[in-house]
Amino acid sequence: MDVIRRARATDIEALVRLFGAPGEPLAAALNELMNTPHVTLVVAEDDNGVAGTAQLTVLRGLAWEGATRGLLEGIRAARRGVTSALLTWGIDEARRRGCTRLHLDSGFTRGDLRDFYARFGFEHSYQGFTRAL
């Protein structure tokens, strides 16, 4: 992998391939996310084009004693080693932005990833609740 850079509108076709989702909703989300100050959406790029993506959202609230924290999500990778590079980027960027805690959003059923994430210092520490609206 050559570079991790901010996502651009021209990356939409590659993002559609990575997420396997319809282009129109993703294009709308991409446009909104690129214009949201507390969100950083990046792509990993190599000689073959976009090889992965990740999103870091920096949050501050009253929970966690008012600490700034990051939410790393949407990691998708098409090639070996890209996920590691995106996780490393997310950890480094969260630190740079003053986060004292980094939450990694991953499906609970993805038990195969627990050991992988643990190598980056993540612990399975929270099970929350979701509701479709």
Side-chain angles (χ1 to χ4, degrees):
M1 190 199 45
D2 296 330
V3 67
I4 293 177
R5 62 164 174 80
R6 282 189 176 263
R8 300 186 287 246
T10 55
D11 295 321
I12 189 60
E13 289 180 25
L15 295 172
V16 166
R17 278 193 305 276
L18 285 170
F19 282 92
E24 192 172 307
L26 281 186
L30 175 60
N31 184 54
E32 182 178 334
L33 293 170
M34 289 187 315
N35 293 296
T36 303
H38 62 279
V39 174
T40 305
L41 183 65
V42 297
V43 296
E45 192 174 48
D46 61 16
D47 291 337
N48 297 314
V50 172
T53 187
Q55 175 184 326
L56 175 66
T57 304
V58 176
L59 308 162
R60 185 157 193 181
L62 298 177
W64 304 102
E65 299 175 355
T68 300
R69 61 197 186 281
L71 171 62
L72 186 59
E73 62 183 323
I75 297 176
R76 296 287 191 276
R79 293 187 245 313
R80 187 179 186 146
V82 175
T83 303
S84 295
L86 289 166
L87 281 169
T88 300
W89 169 84
I91 293 165
D92 292 345
E93 182 66 11
R95 279 191 186 119
R96 188 189 73 74
R97 306 248 333 248
C99 296
T100 58
R101 180 176 298 274
L102 181 61
H103 301 273
L104 176 64
D105 190 15
S106 181
F108 186 70
T109 59
R110 297 293 312 265
D112 58 319
L113 293 175
R114 287 191 190 155
D115 290 340
F116 176 73
Y117 292 146
R119 290 197 302 266
F120 288 86
F122 289 97
E123 298 174 359
H124 183 253
S125 62
Y126 177 78
Q127 182 175 346
F129 301 89
T130 60
R131 176 183 170 175
L133 299 175

